[in-house]
Amino acid sequence: MTATIPTRHPTAPRRVPGLRPFALLLGLRLPAPEQWDHLGSSLVVGDAPMDDLVEWMYSEGIVHTRPLFDSALEHGIDSIADAPEPLREFFVRIETPPPWLDRDKLRRGARVFRMGGPDGVYVARDVSFLGGYLASGFNKTLIRTGALEKGPAQRFAETLQWALDVTVEDGLATGGRGYRSTIHVRLIHAFVRRHVAAMPDWRGADWGLPINQTDMAATLVGALIAPFVGAFAMGVVPSRTDLDAAAHLTRYVGWLIGVEDCFLPNSFRDAVRVLYHSLSAITNPDETTPQLALPMADDPLRWHYRNFPWLRGRIARAQHLSIAATFLGPRAMRRLGLPAYVLPWYPILRAPSNLTRSLIARTVPGGLDRAARRGRKAQEAFLSTLIGGRPAVIGASVAQTRHAA
């Protein structure tokens, strides 16, 4: 390894809770030595196109340049007469689709996500999001952005709102909801990277760069692919073509959000590989792990239920712990500060009904579209349960983005 690799990068791949059996089923191996070194060196790599643009925005005055950025994002760069060259260069780059983009696959991948319904979203929360706190290097950035102050419901609600924007029908068309939300998140990442890296207590030699390429790759694929892995185990059965379409959607979202090409999946199997490899490099729980995980485990007690809030909150807490324990396993649950052994009652109860619905959707004409509509309605209802009538404003939980803006 070279001197540019921060000390948080382990000498060998670590265990990945919940994912290793699935990776073995797909015939995936741990990273080769050159892949391992690349994962380490990518801990100090940010997003040069956006980072350079943000530096220009600050140098010219953020009060004047931020409205130009927002206008270009909303209406396209050609809507701005005499647009400054740094702004034009960035937006021309992202408004020009990559040659490999397949819009039909994007639409199919978005439909697959909607078909996952609430259980796909639950896996995203209880496995990807909660299990992500095992990556202590990423936690150190979260804590410095005010994540603890806003609480887990707000942060996950913002992530879920982004995912819903990305997977709405034609959300990734240039200028669409998902397109705009993704570029907005990319800007937030650059603000946070700039702000947190400049903090006097940020130890770059140990922790690398905030929101670096390795962390972004794990977060991207964990948010958009891991739910399919978990939902599959609960009876939601997409086809191989559907899974590859979901991976294609993930590839394009990653391209838009600033993830380097080497971390963008070419297929569903490749997406699991990216997740498996990146998590083996960043899974390193410490004292920040239970600090973030415990409030999230108890958060269902404070959600917004229409009736019987005391009872429904406790059922929801047990339900989400059941999902987490089923997929993460006892060792990871202990590291998170949570009960190591929880009966997998919810996945067991859901699997038969999900399997039946999946089979019906694939055999009855129009069934897939109806399943996608039902699934999206349930996903939006869960978002409402998280935060009540308030909107989920992407970036609101990150104090530094408000200061930077």
Side-chain angles (χ1 to χ4, degrees):
M1 296 195 297
T2 68
T4 60
I5 297 180
T7 58
R8 68 176 269 202
H9 188 57
T11 57
R14 294 192 174 101
R15 288 185 55 177
V16 181
L19 190 60
R20 188 169 183 270
F22 197 79
L24 293 175
L25 184 65
L26 292 176
L28 298 174
R29 298 181 179 181
L30 290 170
E34 63 277 8
Q35 293 173 315
W36 186 243
D37 285 351
H38 181 67
L39 287 165
S41 61
S42 294
L43 291 170
V44 296
V45 178
D47 170 11
M50 182 58 88
D51 291 340
D52 291 345
L53 180 63
V54 164
E55 287 302 320
W56 169 80
M57 291 170 70
Y58 273 100
S59 68
E60 295 295 318
I62 199 76
V63 173
H64 304 294
T65 55
R66 179 63 190 270
L68 289 175
F69 180 94
D70 292 341
S71 181
L73 181 57
E74 185 72 23
H75 306 292
I77 190 63
D78 289 340
S79 68
I80 301 177
D82 300 320
E85 187 54 34
L87 191 70
R88 176 171 292 279
E89 180 182 351
F90 177 83
F91 275 96
V92 166
R93 177 197 294 260
I94 62 170
E95 288 177 5
T96 304
W100 44 260
L101 183 62
D102 185 327
R103 296 283 180 186
D104 289 335
K105 282 187 177 181
L106 286 185
R107 284 187 282 271
R108 183 165 189 158
R111 186 180 69 175
V112 175
F113 186 93
R114 299 194 299 271
M115 286 172 55
D119 287 332
V121 172
Y122 295 162
V123 171
R125 179 193 182 273
D126 304 330
V127 182
S128 300
F129 210 78
L130 181 64
Y133 293 141
L134 294 165
S136 60
F138 190 58
N139 294 350
K140 291 172 173 56
T141 299
L142 282 177
I143 290 171
R144 286 163 176 79
T145 62
L148 289 178
E149 299 169 13
K150 288 295 182 179
Q154 179 65 36
R155 182 173 169 251
F156 183 70
E158 293 172 31
T159 302
L160 178 54
Q161 183 62 68
W162 166 74
L164 295 179
D165 289 348
V166 163
T167 56
V168 73
E169 191 166 356
D170 290 325
L172 287 173
T174 302
R177 275 173 52 186
Y179 170 92
R180 296 195 311 272
S181 290
T182 299
I183 303 305
H184 180 60
V185 170
R186 186 173 182 177
L187 178 68
I188 291 170
H189 285 174
F191 281 152
V192 170
R193 200 157 36 237
R194 185 180 191 274
H195 183 92
V196 173
M199 287 182 169
D201 66 341
W202 183 260
R203 292 156 37 193
D206 294 329
W207 303 334
L209 190 68
I211 314 186
N212 56 70
Q213 284 292 321
T214 303
D215 287 338
M216 283 198 292
T219 304
L220 167 76
V221 183
L224 294 178
I225 290 295
F228 294 106
V229 177
F232 182 83
M234 284 197 281
V236 179
V237 186
S239 68
R240 174 66 180 272
T241 304
D242 284 341
L243 292 174
D244 285 341
H248 190 76
L249 179 143
T250 303
R251 179 178 177 83
Y252 183 51
V253 171
W255 183 85
L256 286 175
I257 214 167
V259 175
E260 293 183 344
D261 287 353
C262 59
F263 291 120
L264 300 179
N266 293 300
S267 65
F268 179 75
R269 181 180 184 277
D270 195 41
V272 177
R273 178 194 62 80
V274 171
L275 184 62
Y276 186 44
H277 285 189
S278 57
L279 288 179
S280 73
I282 67 174
T283 300
N284 183 25
D286 66 7
E287 71 281 355
T288 66
T289 298
Q291 186 181 3
L292 289 165
L294 287 171
M296 188 168 187
D298 291 336
D299 197 53
L301 301 175
R302 293 177 289 274
W303 288 349
H304 301 263
Y305 306 99
R306 292 186 176 181
N307 46 45
F308 308 110
W310 185 90
L311 176 61
R312 292 183 64 185
R314 277 150 183 78
I315 293 174
R317 183 182 185 276
Q319 167 193 329
H320 290 281
L321 283 175
S322 173
I323 297 170
T326 299
F327 294 102
L328 294 177
R331 182 179 179 184
M333 292 291 283
R334 287 193 202 97
R335 295 292 184 91
L336 291 164
L338 302 175
Y341 296 98
V342 181
L343 289 175
W345 62 269
Y346 182 80
I348 289 174
L349 287 176
R350 290 293 291 174
S353 59
N354 282 338
L355 181 60
T356 300
R357 279 193 288 267
S358 291
L359 294 175
I360 292 174
R362 295 192 175 281
T363 54
V364 176
L368 296 177
D369 289 332
R370 285 192 293 273
R373 287 193 295 271
R374 285 195 303 269
R376 173 48 54 100
K377 186 175 180 180
Q379 291 167 351
E380 291 172 344
F382 179 59
L383 176 61
S384 179
T385 299
L386 284 176
I387 56 175
R390 294 176 292 126
V393 179
I394 297 172
S397 64
V398 183
Q400 281 70 29
T401 63
R402 296 196 300 275
H403 299 157

